[in-house]
Amino acid sequence: MRVLLVGGGGREHALGWKLAQSHTITDLIAVPGNPGFAQLGACIPGIDIKDTEAIVDLALANAIDLVVIGPEAPLAAGVVDALTEAGVRAYGPTKTGARLESSKAFAKEIMRRAGVPTANSRAFTDVDEAIDYLETVKPPYVVKADGLAYGKGVLVTEDLIAAQGWARLCISGEFGEAGSTVVIEDHLAGQEVSVFAICDGTRAVALEPARDYKRHLDGGRGPNTGGMGCYSPVTDLPDDLVDRTITQVIDPVLATLAEDGIEYRGFLYAGLVLTDEGPKVLEFNCRLGDPETQVLLSRLNEDLLELLVSAAEGYMPDGPLQWYDRAAVDVVLTAAGYPDNPEVGRAISGVNEVNSIPNVQVFHANTKRTPDGLITAGGRVLNIVATGQTVPEARALAYEAASHIHFGGIHFRRDVAQS
Ligand code: GLY
């Protein structure tokens, strides 16, 4: 089976690594891929992954049997619609299905119809109405740009003036394609946790939960990032959380989308808050998490390619997925200046040495191969994933491995997976 993977970060390197282990795979290519993925298959540079026509042409030219899409942007651009139209099998939601992530107002409306517990909210396109509404609600204020803003469109604040200013920014188009509509919702207090599912249009099968570390500095301090590390399994969650999320959140959402003619075949990621009134949905993403994918796929004891083909076809096997009885920890190594202004071009050493350590895998996120060697090429540079019998064992190995990687300005959290 010939597979095309769309994307080039740590999540896609991990997806490629797992897909390459399938006994039915014959060829694996990625657009654009990265230097880590290049050990698994060909990387095709120079194509905008939101260019639906270019992705279709690439898939047809390479007689691809399945296209797997990692990030949200190509899904929101309609890559799956274009591939399906051209007769190419793809795993990922269509453009309308991807609106669960690309429009917060759409996601709220689907949740309302599906009876999914979530924060009360209102959407506004008129600045004055949004500003007046904020005067009637209690702090903390949660103000969100409607569309894809890559983590930059949300403000949670106690300050009414700041909240009103943010609503104005959102509606004035500050967040580009995410602009013109603002969603104002009640604040949800409680621990955050993510549940991921593979969906085949009507049914969903859950992945195990992973806990990620979003803040830049130890102890949950500093700015928000894409994720500084994570671990799985997470044992301090309610026993029935995953099952409840499938039956009370994911299944009703799939059924509600189906009422509108949307067959959601793809990963669905529910960000939950464990409130005093039970779990409530904070947001949906139409993809897997990054870096959560890196630990989950390190633990998954299934043929991922077979699973994704069957889900793309709409006939996923029933039953829970099989997992290795091991823990996995990912420590993300970042560049100086991340998240605002990451420094690039620093020489990286130690990757081959770390990859040769048993039970350790390096997944590349933002690296570049040059004639002089590997250099940094963005904020999150490398993921060091270790597995062990327990989370503390995997954690100790991940940090030991990370100590062998060097580049100027390297920064990583020291408290990932610390109890
Ligand atoms: N790690 C969070 C995300 O992928 O959105």
Side-chain angles (χ1 to χ4, degrees):
M1 195 164 281
R2 299 172 61 83
V3 178
L4 169 63
L5 181 60
V6 177
R11 169 184 47 214
E12 288 75 34
H13 184 188
L15 280 164
W17 172 80
K18 193 70 183 173
L19 289 166
Q21 294 167 28
S22 168
H23 57 266
T24 56
I25 198 154
T26 54
D27 287 280
L28 179 59
I29 63 176
V31 52
N34 67 35
F37 179 93
Q39 311 292 316
L40 304 164
C43 296
I44 314 290
I47 292 179
D48 175 357
I49 59 172
K50 299 195 293 306
D51 182 341
T52 56
E53 227 172 280
I55 302 286
V56 169
D57 289 348
L58 184 65
L60 291 174
N62 287 279
I64 292 297
D65 299 298
L66 181 73
V67 181
V68 178
I69 295 103
E72 61 276 26
L75 294 165
V79 162
V80 170
D81 309 58
L83 287 163
T84 309
E85 179 128 324
V88 182
R89 183 164 48 197
Y91 179 72
T94 57
K95 183 175 180 160
T96 13
R99 291 190 78 212
L100 280 181
E101 177 166 358
S102 67
S103 168
K104 293 182 173 59
F106 175 82
K108 284 288 186 185
E109 176 57 14
I110 293 291
M111 283 191 267
R112 189 192 60 73
R113 283 173 51 200
V116 167
T118 185
N120 291 325
S121 72
R122 286 202 37 201
F124 297 91
T125 51
D126 182 281
V127 177
D128 294 330
E129 284 179 22
I131 284 175
D132 289 348
Y133 176 72
L134 279 163
E135 296 198 348
T136 68
V137 296
K138 283 196 289 215
Y141 307 99
V142 181
V143 186
K144 298 179 170 179
D146 180 53
L148 290 182
Y150 305 98
K152 295 196 188 323
V154 179
L155 181 73
V156 181
T157 179
E158 297 278 342
D159 181 343
L160 176 62
I161 303 298
Q164 290 173 322
W166 197 260
R168 189 182 291 283
L169 273 184
C170 291
I171 290 177
S172 70
E174 172 73 14
F175 300 102
E177 58 188 278
S180 76
T181 299
V182 67
V183 175
I184 299 171
E185 62 183 38
D186 293 351
H187 181 253
L188 295 178
Q191 191 184 24
E192 285 186 32
V193 60
S194 305
V195 173
F196 303 94
I198 300 175
C199 307
D200 74 354
T202 53
R203 289 167 313 140
V205 52
L207 301 176
E208 291 218 337
R211 176 167 289 145
D212 76 338
Y213 291 74
K214 289 215 172 72
R215 299 284 181 160
H216 188 233
L217 302 174
D218 288 7
R221 294 173 301 113
N224 240 347
T225 70
M228 298 294 294
C230 62
Y231 71 92
S232 177
V234 185
T235 50
D236 60 359
L237 297 173
D239 283 346
D240 61 350
L241 179 73
V242 171
D243 289 345
R244 264 179 87 179
T245 306
I246 295 294
T247 55
Q248 295 177 10
V249 175
I250 310 279
D251 285 348
V253 163
L254 294 184
T256 305
L257 291 172
E259 281 168 17
D260 294 350
I262 303 165
E263 281 207 328
Y264 191 101
R265 296 178 181 176
F267 296 115
L268 186 53
Y269 158 168
L272 307 171
V273 180
L274 306 183
T275 72
D276 292 342
E277 295 161 10
K280 293 192 179 181
V281 175
L282 188 60
E283 63 178 12
F284 285 120
N285 295 302
C286 59
R287 54 176 172 83
L288 286 182
D290 184 349
E292 293 92 328
T293 307
Q294 290 83 313
V295 292
L296 293 176
L297 296 186
S298 298
R299 298 190 53 231
L300 183 67
N301 184 10
E302 297 278 355
D303 185 319
L304 182 66
L305 180 53
E306 279 183 3
L307 262 177
L308 300 192
V309 167
S310 61
E313 295 274 344
Y315 62 82
M316 203 165 51
D318 283 326
L321 300 175
Q322 301 300 310
W323 298 87
Y324 294 114
D325 190 16
R326 290 180 72 74
V329 172
D330 181 354
V331 177
V332 179
L333 310 184
T334 64
Y338 179 71
D340 291 333
N341 194 14
E343 185 179 86
V344 298
R346 293 300 198 109
I348 304 171
S349 66
V351 172
N352 290 342
E353 183 189 342
V354 169
N355 261 331
S356 68
I357 302 173
N359 301 319
V360 176
Q361 185 68 40
V362 180
F363 292 117
H364 292 231
N366 277 293
T367 64
K368 187 171 165 194
R369 180 76 60 196
T370 72
D372 295 330
L374 199 64
I375 60 170
T376 64
R380 291 192 289 179
V381 178
L382 293 167
N383 299 260
I384 310 298
V385 178
T387 62
Q389 291 300 324
T390 61
V391 170
E393 191 183 304
R395 172 177 197 276
L397 184 57
Y399 277 108
E400 153 61 18
S403 72
H404 296 279
I405 304 273
H406 301 284
F407 55 84
I410 188 170
H411 166 76
F412 54 91
R413 276 183 68 158
R414 312 276 163 171
D415 62 351
V416 172
Q418 199 168 48
S419 53

